Amino acid sequence: MNAVVEEHHDHDHKPTGIGRWLFSTNHKDIGSMYLWFAFTMFFIGGALALLIRAELFQPGMQIVEPEFFNQLTTLHGLIMVFGVIMPAFVGLANWQLPMMIGAPDMALPRMNNWSFWLLPGAFGLLLASLVMSLMGLGSAPNFGWTFYAPLSTTYGPDSTDYFIFSVHLMGISSVMGAINVIATIMNLRAPGMTYMKMPIFVWTWFITAYLLIAVMPVLAGVVTMMLTDRNFGTSFFDAAGGGDPVMFQHVFWFFGHPEVYIMILPAFGIISSIVPTFSRKPLFGYSSMVYATASIAFLSFIVWAHHMFTTGMPVAGELFFMYSTMLIAIPTGVKVFNWISTMWRGALTFETPMLFAIAFIFLFTMGGFTGLMLCIAPADFQYHDTYFVVAHFHYVLVTGAAFSIMAAVYFWLPKWTGNMYDEKLGKLHFWLTCISANVLFFPMHFIGLAGMPRRIPDYALQFAEFNQIASVGAFVFGFSQLIFLYVVIKCVRGGEKATDKVWEGAHGLEFDLPSPAPFHSYTTPPVVK
Amino acid sequence: MSVQTKKQTTDNPKIIGRLLLVVVAMFGFGFALVPLYDVFCDVTGLNGKTGDKVNFETAPTVDESRLVKITFLASLNESMPWEFKPQQNFIEVHPGKPTTINYIAKNISSKSIVGNAVPSVSPGLAAAYFQKTECFCFTQQELKAGEEKIMPVTFIVDSELSDEINEIALSYTFFISKQNNEDLADNNLTAKSINTFK
């Protein structure tokens, strides 16, 4: 098998120069571009977060104006959600899916190129509004990443139209990426690889792609309504014209809740690949993992109004959304128990990817528990729009989704580059990141429960200590990521050669390919028994 | 590659076609949520939305045994340069009996303004039982500069109203109608221009 691939390796027609990237139809090159794009955005979004934390280091106004603070929180959220987590997962899908299912490339390589190259345009527009704001030419979007009407319609700054077009482009990009993933998985699996033999990462991405196709158009719809409300005299969300601003929240969260699972299901797939490798045991409960992923995806469509308990819903509605939200804990619990059972009595070793995976399991579960607290409708009236919510979603998105992406990069980087990363620095990065993330986000639970609202530049004196601790954690966390950048660059440039299998306990078709993986993956499909 | 081609059950263009169809359908669904939301609120009476004008062919029976307290509230959208208040703060009525009360609105700006009032009933579940036979909220209201106008509402509380509800709040908010947005933009009166000013 390897011989065949290596023989072909010599005939790679790797384009050269800038054209290799601009016109790329290669899943690995496009995957790398997605990942580097996400990495760049991670530092931009992170810089905004550090400004926020610097302002919140002390009560009172310190560094930025309140108006600019609102722009910071908005852009931080938008960049991290749409510019970091989502593109990073698409990048991982691009790299891994063809290798994992024994395909030569993605099914629709030209569309793949287009879906990536829309992103720099989209974020160019969004960031242009920030640059203009810094130059004193009006405000960047300042209504929070959830862009509730009427803040974004009646009161939105002129740059809102940049934002709308940018979201349209991101949506088109995501939808094309999702179509590509589905076509690849349906058509290019190696002979013998039935659906129930696919690696879990492939399964989670398969389901995520359907979620994307179902909800990204709804997001496009809601921003289109905003566009016409703002510029063409419609009144979808304007009570004066017979519209309803609360409806904005319904339509937005109909997109928004499945969106949070779009950002976590691929993470589940990554953890399900890493934990068995370093436990040297097969994944416990494979089929229950698949069904759990599918149930989470289904439930994500009927829980959206738990974001809106305080909008004056009738009790029946609150109870429905409360109970349906609680149901999600069951399939999620199945997953967590499966991961723990996989580790149970395994021959565990703790390389960097495994460390991140174990931290993910523990910290994501904590984020899940605060989610359960928030879904209790009467309690949510206390927690709503406080730092408790901020703590909750940063536990699931930073120590959850972002940790899984870091784990995945450490796990597959040797396969991608052919070189081992620096394990010592990797571990240093892990411990700094893991500890500082908790220093950063854990105190937010307390200040939230004590009543500090989110998205404000100033706060009451009694919240000062916890905010200072969080700010210190934030700066350590932020600068620790420079180690990550250094480790990745160092690994790309060289290092100890990785074996084809990379990890002793590794399984899967991608580890049958040589390291570094050849430009075209499986030109002859392997046979899966 | 040949092995895979044989194995394909559906070719790529077909998959793309079907998935694009889902995309278009979901885009449409986003817009369909707008009327669906209204229908849902009308049917269930959630969200405190009151219905349109109700015409009674025969006078409804009056339930003398019961009194329901109706509280009247008035508010203005922040940029509306009017004064607006009910003539009385509350009234106690028998369910089934038509009652008329008045709101008073005055335009304190120097321009003629068209406004429209959006009603809301609380608790939301009472909305379906609060029936208006006449209301200034059914049409746009124009007030010339300095003009004052009495605005009547005639309503009947349905005798089917749950025994558990003994108080209903009726609230009106006056918005600047979109009809006159253009003229008023110069005057810093509309919300948008106030925002730009800030």
Side-chain angles (χ1 to χ4, degrees):
Chain A
M1 182 64 249
N2 285 346
V4 180
V5 176
E6 262 157 34
E7 193 183 81
H8 196 85
H9 190 55
D10 302 329
H11 304 292
D12 283 352
H13 297 292
K14 217 181 267 187
T16 46
I18 183 103
R20 170 177 173 188
W21 305 103
L22 276 180
F23 310 122
S24 177
T25 52
N26 179 276
H27 75 101
K28 297 194 176 71
D29 282 355
I30 294 174
S32 301
M33 288 197 290
Y34 263 112
L35 287 168
W36 279 114
F37 177 80
F39 214 170
T40 315
M41 285 295 146
F42 184 52
F43 281 106
I44 297 175
L48 302 182
L50 289 188
L51 263 175
I52 293 171
R53 285 318 316 176
E55 172 60 47
L56 292 174
F57 186 70
Q58 283 184 325
M61 300 312 300
Q62 315 293 337
I63 302 169
V64 295
E65 294 297 314
E67 290 80 10
F68 189 63
F69 186 88
N70 289 342
Q71 300 166 34
L72 287 176
T73 52
T74 305
L75 285 165
H76 166 71
L78 289 170
I79 289 172
M80 289 302 194
V81 168
F82 295 105
V84 179
I85 305 285
M86 290 175 69
F89 279 141
V90 181
L92 291 171
N94 258 303
W95 257 101
Q96 291 305 125
L97 291 187
M99 294 203 285
M100 284 177 146
I101 62 173
D105 204 307
M106 296 295 274
L108 312 163
R110 289 190 188 85
M111 197 158 90
N112 206 6
N113 173 295
W114 192 19
S115 62
F116 172 76
W117 280 110
L118 280 179
L119 280 183
F123 282 87
L125 273 178
L126 192 62
L127 291 172
S129 67
L130 181 67
V131 172
M132 286 185 279
S133 168
L134 289 170
M135 289 162 64
L137 299 171
S139 165
N142 56 2
F143 28 71
W145 86 273
T146 52
F147 53 100
Y148 278 9
L151 295 175
S152 57
T153 50
T154 315
Y155 303 103
D158 291 342
S159 63
T160 309
D161 298 324
Y162 279 69
F163 156 83
I164 290 171
F165 192 46
S166 157
V167 170
H168 275 137
L169 289 178
M170 291 172 207
I172 296 170
S173 159
S174 296
V175 164
M176 288 196 302
I179 291 177
N180 206 351
V181 165
I182 293 176
T184 307
I185 295 174
M186 288 180 82
N187 280 344
L188 297 185
R189 275 170 296 129
M193 183 177 276
T194 57
Y195 278 109
M196 288 311 275
K197 278 184 188 166
M198 294 193 310
I200 285 281
F201 180 71
V202 179
W203 253 116
T204 52
W205 242 112
F206 194 43
I207 292 169
T208 305
Y210 277 107
L211 284 182
L212 278 168
I213 284 178
V215 301
M216 289 315 277
V218 177
L219 174 70
V222 76
V223 292
T224 309
M225 290 182 221
M226 273 172 58
L227 185 77
T228 57
D229 263 17
R230 285 173 56 79
N231 300 311
F232 305 112
T234 58
S235 298
F236 286 106
F237 308 126
D238 187 356
D244 192 332
V246 175
M247 193 187 64
F248 173 90
Q249 297 185 29
H250 281 289
V251 187
F252 175 78
W253 285 115
F254 185 84
F255 145 80
H257 203 77
E259 165 72 12
V260 306
Y261 292 103
I262 287 167
M263 291 190 286
I264 205 64
L265 292 184
F268 292 163
I270 292 165
I271 302 305
S272 304
S273 317
I274 293 175
V275 170
T277 303
F278 297 98
S279 305
R280 291 159 182 81
K281 273 175 68 192
L283 181 68
F284 185 90
Y286 169 88
S287 52
S288 65
M289 282 295 204
V290 174
Y291 293 124
T293 312
S295 349
I296 293 174
F298 168 74
L299 287 171
S300 72
F301 285 102
I302 55 162
V303 299
W304 77 89
H306 66 214
H307 296 270
M308 305 167 53
F309 281 147
T310 59
T311 52
M313 251 194 288
V315 176
E318 302 208 330
L319 288 179
F320 172 78
F321 287 109
M322 172 169 122
Y323 292 137
S324 56
T325 306
M326 282 182 181
L327 275 182
I328 296 182
I330 297 170
T332 314
V334 167
K335 286 179 169 296
V336 173
F337 284 120
N338 279 344
W339 290 322
I340 295 171
S341 307
T342 307
M343 286 191 277
W344 175 250
R345 298 199 164 165
L348 295 176
T349 49
F350 301 95
E351 286 86 348
T352 312
M354 184 60 165
L355 290 175
F356 271 107
I358 294 172
F360 170 95
I361 296 171
F362 182 68
L363 298 172
F364 174 79
T365 305
M366 268 181 49
F369 275 125
T370 51
L372 272 176
M373 290 172 71
L374 284 162
C375 88
I376 301 167
D380 182 70
F381 277 71
Q382 165 78 13
Y383 308 148
H384 185 84
D385 253 348
T386 66
Y387 258 82
F388 191 77
V389 180
V390 178
H392 159 69
F393 67 70
H394 280 97
Y395 264 87
V396 290
L397 284 178
V398 178
T399 61
F403 271 30
S404 81
I405 293 164
M406 291 173 193
V409 169
Y410 282 113
F411 185 55
W412 285 310
L413 199 57
K415 175 53 67 183
W416 299 339
T417 61
N419 308 318
M420 288 306 285
Y421 60 88
D422 188 328
E423 185 68 46
K424 249 187 203 152
L425 281 178
K427 284 201 167 116
L428 177 72
H429 170 232
F430 167 76
W431 286 110
L432 279 173
T433 302
C434 186
I435 293 169
S436 62
N438 282 287
V439 174
L440 163 57
F441 298 120
F442 204 76
M444 290 184 183
H445 291 113
F446 305 129
I447 41 179
L449 290 177
M452 177 167 158
R454 61 193 280 210
R455 293 174 177 152
I456 50 155
D458 188 10
Y459 51 83
L461 218 50
Q462 68 266 31
F463 304 129
E465 278 87 353
F466 278 138
N467 269 299
Q468 285 183 346
I469 295 171
S471 290
V472 170
F475 278 87
V476 179
F477 182 88
F479 285 98
S480 302
Q481 303 320 310
L482 293 174
I483 304 175
F484 187 31
L485 178 65
Y486 177 73
V487 173
V488 172
I489 291 173
K490 194 175 161 194
C491 181
V492 171
R493 291 192 150 184
E496 189 195 327
K497 291 293 158 227
T499 59
D500 291 357
K501 215 178 163 197
V502 185
W503 310 105
E504 190 198 5
H507 282 283
L509 290 178
E510 77 265 41
F511 293 109
D512 290 345
L513 287 170
S515 300
F519 198 57
H520 301 290
S521 298
Y522 281 100
T523 38
T524 316
V527 176
V528 179
K529 282 173 212 88
Chain B
M1 206 53 220
S2 60
V3 187
Q4 282 168 344
T5 321
K6 268 180 220 156
K7 203 180 118 303
Q8 282 186 7
T9 44
T10 324
D11 54 7
N12 286 340
K14 249 187 204 158
I15 293 181
I16 299 172
R18 282 178 197 170
L19 293 174
L20 281 179
L21 210 64
V22 178
V23 170
V24 172
M26 287 309 289
F27 186 71
F29 178 73
F31 283 88
L33 280 174
V34 178
L36 281 177
Y37 178 77
D38 275 342
V39 169
F40 186 78
C41 292
D42 275 348
V43 171
T44 58
L46 300 182
N47 209 19
K49 279 202 175 182
T50 58
D52 286 339
K53 183 169 179 165
V54 181
N55 289 312
F56 288 91
E57 280 164 18
T58 50
T61 46
V62 180
D63 183 356
E64 301 272 354
S65 65
R66 214 179 139 194
L67 275 177
V68 178
K69 181 178 172 184
I70 317 285
T71 313
F72 304 106
L73 301 165
S75 51
L76 293 164
N77 191 16
E78 60 179 278
S79 54
M80 185 76 167
W82 284 12
E83 279 174 359
F84 178 51
K85 56 177 191 284
Q87 255 180 349
Q88 60 200 110
N89 288 329
F90 67 91
I91 190 170
E92 290 191 313
V93 296
H94 295 296
K97 191 180 173 194
T99 313
T100 302
I101 62 108
N102 294 320
Y103 275 83
I104 303 168
K106 186 180 180 187
N107 183 350
I108 52 170
S109 80
S110 56
K111 282 212 167 187
S112 175
I113 292 174
V114 182
N116 60 336
V118 176
S120 175
V121 166
S122 181
L125 291 174
Y129 302 94
F130 190 89
Q131 291 151 346
K132 301 186 292 298
T133 55
E134 204 55 68
C135 179
F136 59 90
C137 61
F138 294 150
T139 53
Q140 306 252 354
Q141 301 288 333
E142 181 168 6
L143 290 185
K144 300 199 171 57
E147 186 186 350
E148 188 174 274
K149 200 166 165 187
I150 288 178
M151 300 188 169
V153 191
T154 308
F155 61 88
I156 297 172
V157 177
D158 195 315
S159 32
E160 302 282 305
L161 179 72
S162 157
D163 290 341
E164 288 168 16
I165 301 175
N166 293 310
E167 283 191 40
I168 295 175
L170 171 66
S171 145
Y172 285 100
T173 306
F174 250 112
F175 290 87
I176 294 190
S177 167
K178 287 222 164 182
Q179 276 185 9
N180 49 22
N181 252 2
E182 292 300 315
D183 326 332
L184 294 175
D186 314 329
N187 233 7
N188 270 352
L189 287 174
T190 61
K192 217 173 211 164
S193 54
I194 281 177
N195 188 55
T196 324
F197 180 70
K198 182 183 76 192

